[in-house]
Amino acid sequence: DAGEMVRQARVLAQATSDLVNAMRSDAEA
Amino acid sequence: MPVFHTKTIEGILEPVAQQICHLVIMHEEGEVDGKAIPDLTGPVAAVQAAVSNLVRVGKETVQTTEDQVMKRDMPPAFIKVENSCSKLVQAAQMLKADPYSVPARDYLIDGSRGILSGTSDLLLTFDEAEVRKVIRVCKGILEYLTVAEVVETMEDLITYTKNLGPGMTKMSKMIEERQQELTHQEHRQMLFNSLNTVKQLLPVLISAIKIFVAIKSTHSAGVDEAERNRCFTFEKMSAEISEIIRVLQLTTWDEDTWA
């Protein structure tokens, strides 16, 4: 299913983004 | 020059790529030195779950696809994403023990970069398989265009037109969708121009075949000229479709190298 791959990649990108944000926000704070 | 090849991939990866880039800069400029990084177990667990789902779906895709290139190219991307995730898990554990751990921070950055790179590889591999589908349809049309040479009766022409029409419609739809997806403006324009030319030439080809059949069946003069005209139109269409196949396979890097 073409769409499922893209959906899961989107979820992973968002989770990674959340992780990076967690790292950055504390560093910036 | 666009970093990501398609809008879909760009939409997924651009935001997180920017964030990682900024984080790396902060890290390299020492802005995070001496600062404690709190427990990241939660966010890392979320990444771990997402990696697991993506790899599962990816493996299902590899098992069901008939595309041998995808079967070969996708597994290394799974490994890259999984290894990067392991780094993140390890980093989170290290930070729990020592929130100031510099190696843990390096692991976090390397892991994040690896996730980004591995996901990009996965998406590109998948995208290239989608392109191969479009190319297969284009090649089918190229093959069927050659049948124009053996159409010698009106009945043949009717059959030929009935068969060619739906194929051309499908090809056009796939190319138009692909064209919209590309982030590279020149490639989009090239696809648009070539497809436009093919669309314009289709009725010209049918007309040329019709004239050839009419002259041939009435044994009138001018058969050779009609045949040359038909061949000329056929060759122009074939050339444009071949150009479409070429452009479909271009990537940004090709363009840079060419430039």
Side-chain angles (χ1 to χ4, degrees):
Chain A
D1 173 6
E4 185 59 15
M5 271 277 296
V6 172
R7 262 189 303 277
Q8 293 301 333
R10 212 181 291 277
V11 170
L12 177 53
Q14 184 57 56
T16 307
S17 181
D18 294 342
L19 171 62
V20 172
N21 269 334
M23 290 155 58
R24 278 178 53 200
S25 57
D26 291 305
E28 282 164 351
Chain B
M1 209 53 78
V3 173
F4 298 102
H5 191 44
T6 68
K7 290 179 182 175
T8 297
I9 296 175
E10 183 177 62
I12 292 172
L13 296 183
E14 177 72 25
V16 63
Q18 294 287 349
Q19 287 170 312
I20 292 174
C21 185
H22 189 210
L23 181 69
V24 169
I25 291 168
M26 288 173 64
H27 181 71
E28 285 169 354
E29 290 178 354
E31 291 180 40
V32 294
D33 290 352
K35 292 192 173 74
I37 296 183
D39 182 12
L40 292 176
T41 309
V44 166
V47 171
Q48 200 171 15
V51 163
S52 169
N53 286 330
L54 177 60
V55 170
R56 174 181 51 79
V57 171
K59 284 179 177 176
E60 286 167 10
T61 304
V62 166
Q63 276 160 12
T64 54
T65 186
E66 291 166 10
D67 189 316
Q68 296 308 310
V69 176
M70 183 197 270
K71 280 183 184 290
R72 180 200 67 204
D73 288 355
M74 209 167 254
F78 298 151
I79 293 165
K80 184 185 274 193
V81 168
E82 288 172 327
N83 288 347
S84 302
C85 190
S86 303
K87 275 189 177 177
L88 295 178
V89 171
Q90 192 175 349
Q93 290 162 355
M94 290 163 73
L95 284 168
K96 269 189 127 173
D98 173 11
Y100 296 91
S101 167
V102 174
R105 199 170 297 156
D106 294 340
Y107 268 43
L108 282 176
I109 288 175
D110 287 349
S112 304
R113 277 172 147 167
I115 295 280
L116 176 63
S117 173
T119 308
S120 178
D121 292 349
L122 267 170
L123 290 172
L124 278 174
T125 302
F126 188 78
D127 186 67
E128 286 158 9
E130 295 295 292
V131 169
R132 283 192 288 275
K133 289 180 188 173
V134 181
I135 289 173
R136 272 196 293 277
V137 171
C138 292
K139 285 180 176 175
I141 294 295
L142 276 179
E143 264 173 50
Y144 198 69
L145 282 178
T146 61
V147 173
E149 292 170 3
V150 298
V151 173
E152 299 203 343
T153 68
M154 282 304 174
E155 291 71 27
D156 287 350
L157 178 54
I158 291 168
T159 304
Y160 184 74
T161 307
K162 276 183 179 173
N163 291 336
L164 185 59
M168 288 292 284
T169 303
K170 179 179 181 181
M171 182 184 79
S172 299
K173 183 172 181 286
M174 292 175 95
I175 292 167
E176 281 159 0
E177 285 170 1
R178 182 63 187 175
Q179 189 234 341
Q180 295 298 326
E181 254 293 284
L182 294 179
T183 53
H184 201 287
Q185 186 53 35
E186 284 83 2
H187 297 174
R188 290 173 56 144
Q189 195 59 51
M190 290 157 81
L191 283 181
F192 179 84
N193 295 342
S194 290
L195 183 58
N196 235 23
T197 303
V198 170
K199 284 180 180 178
Q200 289 163 4
L201 286 174
L202 179 58
V204 176
L205 176 66
I206 301 301
S207 171
I209 299 171
K210 197 172 194 178
I211 292 168
F212 170 77
V213 167
I215 292 176
K216 183 149 186 156
S217 56
T218 57
H219 306 293
S220 312
V223 169
D224 293 340
E225 187 186 350
E227 187 167 15
R228 274 197 305 275
N229 185 33
R230 183 200 67 202
C231 286
F232 174 77
T233 309
F234 156 75
E235 282 159 6
K236 273 197 76 175
M237 282 184 81
S238 299
E240 288 297 340
I241 295 173
S242 299
E243 171 66 359
I244 286 170
I245 291 172
R246 185 187 73 86
V247 173
L248 283 170
Q249 297 173 88
L250 286 181
T251 61
T252 306
W253 302 279
D254 295 303
E255 197 67 36
D256 293 344
T257 312
W258 180 259

Short mmCIF file of all heavy atoms in Angstrom, two decimals, chain B residues 70-108:
data_model
loop_
_atom_site.label_atom_id
_atom_site.label_comp_id
_atom_site.label_asym_id
_atom_site.label_seq_id
_atom_site.Cartn_x
_atom_site.Cartn_y
_atom_site.Cartn_z
N MET B 70 13.59 -2.63 -5.92
CA MET B 70 13.15 -2.24 -4.59
C MET B 70 13.49 -3.33 -3.57
O MET B 70 13.95 -3.04 -2.46
CB MET B 70 11.63 -2.00 -4.58
CG MET B 70 11.12 -1.52 -3.25
SD MET B 70 9.35 -1.72 -3.06
CE MET B 70 8.80 -0.17 -3.71
N LYS B 71 13.32 -4.60 -3.97
CA LYS B 71 13.65 -5.71 -3.06
C LYS B 71 15.12 -5.64 -2.63
O LYS B 71 15.48 -5.96 -1.50
CB LYS B 71 13.37 -7.05 -3.75
CG LYS B 71 11.92 -7.50 -3.78
CD LYS B 71 11.80 -8.86 -4.44
CE LYS B 71 10.35 -9.30 -4.59
NZ LYS B 71 9.70 -9.63 -3.30
N ARG B 72 15.96 -5.16 -3.54
CA ARG B 72 17.40 -5.09 -3.28
C ARG B 72 17.76 -3.84 -2.48
O ARG B 72 18.55 -3.88 -1.53
CB ARG B 72 18.15 -5.08 -4.62
CG ARG B 72 19.66 -5.01 -4.48
CD ARG B 72 20.30 -4.52 -5.78
NE ARG B 72 19.93 -3.13 -6.04
CZ ARG B 72 19.92 -2.58 -7.26
NH1 ARG B 72 20.22 -3.30 -8.33
NH2 ARG B 72 19.61 -1.31 -7.42
N ASP B 73 17.14 -2.70 -2.81
CA ASP B 73 17.58 -1.41 -2.26
C ASP B 73 16.96 -1.07 -0.90
O ASP B 73 17.53 -0.29 -0.14
CB ASP B 73 17.23 -0.28 -3.24
CG ASP B 73 18.14 -0.32 -4.47
OD1 ASP B 73 19.06 -1.16 -4.48
OD2 ASP B 73 17.90 0.46 -5.41
N MET B 74 15.79 -1.61 -0.60
CA MET B 74 15.13 -1.14 0.62
C MET B 74 15.73 -1.71 1.93
O MET B 74 15.89 -0.95 2.89
CB MET B 74 13.62 -1.45 0.54
CG MET B 74 12.82 -0.45 1.34
SD MET B 74 11.07 -0.53 1.00
CE MET B 74 10.86 0.93 0.01
N PRO B 75 16.11 -2.99 1.98
CA PRO B 75 16.64 -3.52 3.23
C PRO B 75 17.80 -2.72 3.86
O PRO B 75 17.79 -2.50 5.07
CB PRO B 75 17.07 -4.94 2.85
CG PRO B 75 16.11 -5.32 1.76
CD PRO B 75 15.89 -4.05 0.97
N PRO B 76 18.77 -2.22 3.07
CA PRO B 76 19.83 -1.41 3.71
C PRO B 76 19.27 -0.18 4.44
O PRO B 76 19.80 0.24 5.47
CB PRO B 76 20.71 -0.99 2.53
CG PRO B 76 20.50 -2.03 1.49
CD PRO B 76 19.06 -2.44 1.63
N ALA B 77 18.20 0.37 3.90
CA ALA B 77 17.59 1.55 4.55
C ALA B 77 16.93 1.14 5.86
O ALA B 77 16.98 1.88 6.85
CB ALA B 77 16.56 2.17 3.61
N PHE B 78 16.35 -0.08 5.90
CA PHE B 78 15.79 -0.56 7.18
C PHE B 78 16.89 -0.60 8.24
O PHE B 78 16.72 -0.15 9.36
CB PHE B 78 15.22 -1.98 7.03
CG PHE B 78 14.10 -2.12 6.06
CD1 PHE B 78 13.90 -3.32 5.38
CD2 PHE B 78 13.23 -1.06 5.79
CE1 PHE B 78 12.85 -3.47 4.50
CE2 PHE B 78 12.18 -1.21 4.90
CZ PHE B 78 11.99 -2.42 4.25
N ILE B 79 18.02 -1.19 7.83
CA ILE B 79 19.14 -1.36 8.77
C ILE B 79 19.62 0.00 9.28
O ILE B 79 19.85 0.18 10.48
CB ILE B 79 20.28 -2.15 8.09
CG1 ILE B 79 19.84 -3.59 7.80
CG2 ILE B 79 21.55 -2.14 8.95
CD1 ILE B 79 20.73 -4.34 6.83
N LYS B 80 19.72 0.96 8.36
CA LYS B 80 20.21 2.30 8.75
C LYS B 80 19.28 2.91 9.78
O LYS B 80 19.71 3.45 10.81
CB LYS B 80 20.29 3.20 7.52
CG LYS B 80 20.87 4.57 7.82
CD LYS B 80 20.82 5.47 6.59
CE LYS B 80 22.01 5.31 5.69
NZ LYS B 80 22.07 6.41 4.68
N VAL B 81 17.98 2.81 9.54
CA VAL B 81 17.00 3.41 10.47
C VAL B 81 17.04 2.69 11.81
O VAL B 81 17.04 3.32 12.87
CB VAL B 81 15.59 3.36 9.83
CG1 VAL B 81 14.53 3.71 10.86
CG2 VAL B 81 15.49 4.30 8.65
N GLU B 82 17.11 1.36 11.76
CA GLU B 82 17.10 0.58 13.02
C GLU B 82 18.37 0.84 13.83
O GLU B 82 18.32 1.00 15.05
CB GLU B 82 16.93 -0.90 12.71
CG GLU B 82 15.51 -1.24 12.24
CD GLU B 82 15.35 -2.67 11.75
OE1 GLU B 82 16.33 -3.21 11.18
OE2 GLU B 82 14.26 -3.24 11.92
N ASN B 83 19.51 0.89 13.15
CA ASN B 83 20.77 1.15 13.87
C ASN B 83 20.77 2.54 14.49
O ASN B 83 21.23 2.75 15.62
CB ASN B 83 21.96 1.02 12.91
CG ASN B 83 22.23 -0.43 12.54
OD1 ASN B 83 21.69 -1.34 13.19
ND2 ASN B 83 23.02 -0.65 11.52
N SER B 84 20.21 3.50 13.75
CA SER B 84 20.15 4.86 14.28
C SER B 84 19.25 4.92 15.50
O SER B 84 19.55 5.61 16.48
CB SER B 84 19.63 5.80 13.19
OG SER B 84 20.45 5.74 12.05
N CYS B 85 18.17 4.17 15.44
CA CYS B 85 17.25 4.14 16.58
C CYS B 85 17.94 3.52 17.80
O CYS B 85 17.76 4.01 18.93
CB CYS B 85 16.02 3.34 16.20
SG CYS B 85 14.72 3.47 17.42
N SER B 86 18.74 2.51 17.57
CA SER B 86 19.48 1.89 18.69
C SER B 86 20.38 2.92 19.35
O SER B 86 20.52 2.94 20.58
CB SER B 86 20.30 0.71 18.18
OG SER B 86 19.47 -0.23 17.53
N LYS B 87 20.98 3.79 18.55
CA LYS B 87 21.85 4.83 19.11
C LYS B 87 21.04 5.76 20.02
O LYS B 87 21.50 6.16 21.09
CB LYS B 87 22.47 5.65 17.97
CG LYS B 87 23.73 5.08 17.39
CD LYS B 87 24.39 6.07 16.44
CE LYS B 87 25.70 5.50 15.92
NZ LYS B 87 26.34 6.42 14.94
N LEU B 88 19.84 6.08 19.57
CA LEU B 88 18.99 6.98 20.36
C LEU B 88 18.62 6.33 21.69
O LEU B 88 18.67 6.96 22.75
CB LEU B 88 17.73 7.35 19.58
CG LEU B 88 17.91 8.16 18.31
CD1 LEU B 88 16.56 8.40 17.63
CD2 LEU B 88 18.58 9.49 18.60
N VAL B 89 18.26 5.06 21.64
CA VAL B 89 17.90 4.33 22.87
C VAL B 89 19.09 4.31 23.82
O VAL B 89 18.96 4.59 25.02
CB VAL B 89 17.44 2.90 22.52
CG1 VAL B 89 17.26 2.07 23.79
CG2 VAL B 89 16.15 2.93 21.71
N GLN B 90 20.26 4.03 23.26
CA GLN B 90 21.47 3.98 24.09
C GLN B 90 21.76 5.36 24.69
O GLN B 90 22.10 5.47 25.87
CB GLN B 90 22.65 3.53 23.23
CG GLN B 90 23.89 3.17 24.03
CD GLN B 90 24.99 2.60 23.15
OE1 GLN B 90 24.76 2.29 21.97
NE2 GLN B 90 26.18 2.48 23.73
N ALA B 91 21.57 6.38 23.88
CA ALA B 91 21.83 7.74 24.36
C ALA B 91 20.89 8.08 25.51
O ALA B 91 21.32 8.64 26.54
CB ALA B 91 21.64 8.73 23.24
N ALA B 92 19.63 7.71 25.37
CA ALA B 92 18.65 8.02 26.42
C ALA B 92 19.03 7.33 27.72
O ALA B 92 18.93 7.91 28.81
CB ALA B 92 17.26 7.59 25.98
N GLN B 93 19.51 6.10 27.60
CA GLN B 93 19.94 5.36 28.80
C GLN B 93 21.15 6.04 29.44
O GLN B 93 21.22 6.21 30.66
CB GLN B 93 20.25 3.91 28.43
CG GLN B 93 19.02 3.09 28.07
CD GLN B 93 19.35 1.82 27.30
OE1 GLN B 93 20.53 1.58 26.95
NE2 GLN B 93 18.33 1.01 27.05
N MET B 94 22.09 6.46 28.61
CA MET B 94 23.30 7.13 29.12
C MET B 94 22.94 8.43 29.83
O MET B 94 23.47 8.77 30.87
CB MET B 94 24.25 7.40 27.97
CG MET B 94 24.89 6.16 27.38
SD MET B 94 25.60 6.44 25.74
CE MET B 94 27.05 7.39 26.15
N LEU B 95 21.97 9.15 29.25
CA LEU B 95 21.58 10.45 29.83
C LEU B 95 20.85 10.27 31.15
O LEU B 95 20.93 11.13 32.03
CB LEU B 95 20.70 11.21 28.84
CG LEU B 95 21.43 11.85 27.68
CD1 LEU B 95 20.47 12.34 26.63
CD2 LEU B 95 22.32 13.00 28.17
N LYS B 96 20.17 9.16 31.27
CA LYS B 96 19.50 8.90 32.55
C LYS B 96 20.54 8.79 33.67
O LYS B 96 20.36 9.29 34.77
CB LYS B 96 18.70 7.60 32.48
CG LYS B 96 17.25 7.80 32.02
CD LYS B 96 16.45 6.52 32.19
CE LYS B 96 15.19 6.75 32.98
NZ LYS B 96 14.31 5.56 33.00
N ALA B 97 21.65 8.15 33.29
CA ALA B 97 22.72 7.98 34.29
C ALA B 97 23.48 9.29 34.48
O ALA B 97 23.85 9.66 35.59
CB ALA B 97 23.67 6.86 33.85
N ASP B 98 23.68 10.00 33.37
CA ASP B 98 24.48 11.24 33.44
C ASP B 98 23.92 12.26 32.47
O ASP B 98 24.23 12.24 31.28
CB ASP B 98 25.94 10.93 33.09
CG ASP B 98 26.76 12.23 33.00
OD1 ASP B 98 26.22 13.29 33.42
OD2 ASP B 98 27.88 12.19 32.48
N PRO B 99 23.07 13.18 32.93
CA PRO B 99 22.43 14.17 32.06
C PRO B 99 23.42 15.08 31.34
O PRO B 99 23.05 15.78 30.42
CB PRO B 99 21.53 14.97 33.01
CG PRO B 99 21.35 14.11 34.21
CD PRO B 99 22.61 13.33 34.33
N TYR B 100 24.70 15.09 31.81
CA TYR B 100 25.70 15.96 31.17
C TYR B 100 26.58 15.19 30.18
O TYR B 100 27.52 15.72 29.63
CB TYR B 100 26.58 16.60 32.26
CG TYR B 100 25.83 17.51 33.18
CD1 TYR B 100 25.26 17.02 34.37
CD2 TYR B 100 25.64 18.85 32.86
CE1 TYR B 100 24.56 17.85 35.21
CE2 TYR B 100 24.93 19.69 33.71
CZ TYR B 100 24.39 19.19 34.88
OH TYR B 100 23.67 20.03 35.70
N SER B 101 26.25 13.94 29.96
CA SER B 101 27.11 13.07 29.15
C SER B 101 27.28 13.59 27.73
O SER B 101 26.30 13.74 26.98
CB SER B 101 26.51 11.65 29.11
OG SER B 101 27.15 10.90 28.11
N VAL B 102 28.50 13.88 27.37
CA VAL B 102 28.79 14.38 26.02
C VAL B 102 28.68 13.25 24.99
O VAL B 102 28.08 13.45 23.94
CB VAL B 102 30.19 15.04 25.98
CG1 VAL B 102 30.55 15.43 24.54
CG2 VAL B 102 30.20 16.27 26.88
N PRO B 103 29.21 12.07 25.28
CA PRO B 103 29.03 10.97 24.30
C PRO B 103 27.54 10.70 24.01
O PRO B 103 27.17 10.45 22.87
CB PRO B 103 29.68 9.78 25.00
CG PRO B 103 30.65 10.37 25.97
CD PRO B 103 30.01 11.65 26.43
N ALA B 104 26.74 10.81 25.05
CA ALA B 104 25.30 10.57 24.85
C ALA B 104 24.73 11.60 23.89
O ALA B 104 23.93 11.30 23.02
CB ALA B 104 24.57 10.64 26.19
N ARG B 105 25.20 12.83 24.05
CA ARG B 105 24.72 13.89 23.16
C ARG B 105 25.12 13.61 21.71
O ARG B 105 24.33 13.78 20.79
CB ARG B 105 25.32 15.22 23.62
CG ARG B 105 24.59 16.45 23.12
CD ARG B 105 25.13 17.66 23.83
NE ARG B 105 24.86 17.58 25.27
CZ ARG B 105 25.59 18.23 26.18
NH1 ARG B 105 26.64 18.95 25.82
NH2 ARG B 105 25.28 18.14 27.46
N ASP B 106 26.36 13.16 21.54
CA ASP B 106 26.82 12.81 20.19
C ASP B 106 25.94 11.70 19.61
O ASP B 106 25.57 11.73 18.45
CB ASP B 106 28.28 12.36 20.23
CG ASP B 106 29.22 13.50 20.61
OD1 ASP B 106 28.78 14.67 20.46
OD2 ASP B 106 30.33 13.24 21.08
N TYR B 107 25.63 10.73 20.45
CA TYR B 107 24.77 9.62 20.01
C TYR B 107 23.40 10.14 19.56
O TYR B 107 22.82 9.68 18.58
CB TYR B 107 24.59 8.60 21.15
CG TYR B 107 25.62 7.49 21.12
CD1 TYR B 107 26.96 7.76 20.87
CD2 TYR B 107 25.24 6.17 21.34
CE1 TYR B 107 27.90 6.74 20.85
CE2 TYR B 107 26.18 5.13 21.33
CZ TYR B 107 27.50 5.43 21.08
OH TYR B 107 28.42 4.43 21.04
N LEU B 108 22.88 11.09 20.34
CA LEU B 108 21.55 11.65 20.01
C LEU B 108 21.58 12.30 18.63
O LEU B 108 20.71 12.10 17.80
CB LEU B 108 21.14 12.68 21.05
CG LEU B 108 20.61 12.16 22.38
CD1 LEU B 108 20.34 13.31 23.35
CD2 LEU B 108 19.31 11.36 22.17
#
